[in-house]
Amino acid sequence: MRKLILLLIIVLSQSSFSQEINLIKGKYYVNGKQISSRETRQLLASNLEALSLFKSAKSQESTGGLLIAVGGAAVTVDLVIGLVSDVKYPSVATYSGVVAILTAIPLLSGKNKKIKEAIDLYNKDAAKRLGLNDTNFELHIIADQNGYGIQIQF
């Protein structure tokens, strides 16, 4: 009986240590606990392809944010100058700001796809390392005329 309980504890603890990352509303979770982007990057370090995709997505996010900030500032400054003085509005600054903002939109929308792809790639690799894809693990509590028991199927 002790061996069976020990075996059950070992099998269940292995499945609880799987480092599967979940992405929910732009936040990263491992085992129901929220983790930071830096911790996510550290977990993805075991899979170089997933890490490369994640870094690329984060780079796209930074570039897109910078383009939106620069474009918004250019449009705002040109608008204020046009309102305060008798300068022709819109000028080149407004058009370049709008172009910068429009360029940022595809960058920011593509980063979510890359992050999801990186996390899916990592989760597939993590499942393979733990051997969870090849086994069909089932745990049942059974009862018959001889008593109660635990049935484990692989």
Side-chain angles (χ1 to χ4, degrees), residues 65-140:
L66 179 68
L67 284 173
I68 284 181
V70 168
V75 170
T76 304
V77 166
D78 194 36
L79 177 64
V80 169
I81 290 173
L83 290 174
V84 173
S85 64
D86 291 333
V87 178
K88 180 185 168 200
Y89 178 78
S91 69
V92 175
T94 299
Y95 294 123
S96 62
V98 169
V99 167
I101 291 171
L102 291 176
T103 304
I105 292 172
L107 284 175
L108 291 175
S109 64
K111 68 132 179 135
N112 292 332
K113 181 181 176 187
K114 280 189 176 182
I115 288 176
K116 182 162 178 30
E117 190 177 332
I119 289 176
D120 289 343
L121 187 64
Y122 171 80
N123 287 341
K124 281 183 189 176
D125 188 47
K128 283 181 186 175
R129 279 184 280 141
L130 291 173
L132 297 177
N133 280 349
D134 298 338
T135 61
N136 187 12
F137 176 75
E138 293 181 15
L139 175 67
H140 300 282

Side-chain angles (χ1 to χ4, degrees), residues 5-19 31 130 132 137:
I5 292 173
L6 180 64
L7 177 68
L8 181 64
I9 290 171
I10 290 172
V11 169
L12 291 177
S13 68
Q14 274 188 337
S15 65
S16 69
F17 285 160
S18 65
Q19 296 289 315
N31 297 330
L130 291 173
L132 297 177
F137 176 75

Side-chain angles (χ1 to χ4, degrees), residues 24-43:
I24 303 170
K25 295 183 181 178
K27 296 181 180 175
Y28 310 104
Y29 293 91
V30 173
N31 297 330
K33 181 183 172 196
Q34 184 178 350
I35 60 173
S36 69
S37 180
R38 177 173 286 164
E39 292 170 329
T40 304
R41 183 176 290 159
Q42 289 172 349
L43 285 175

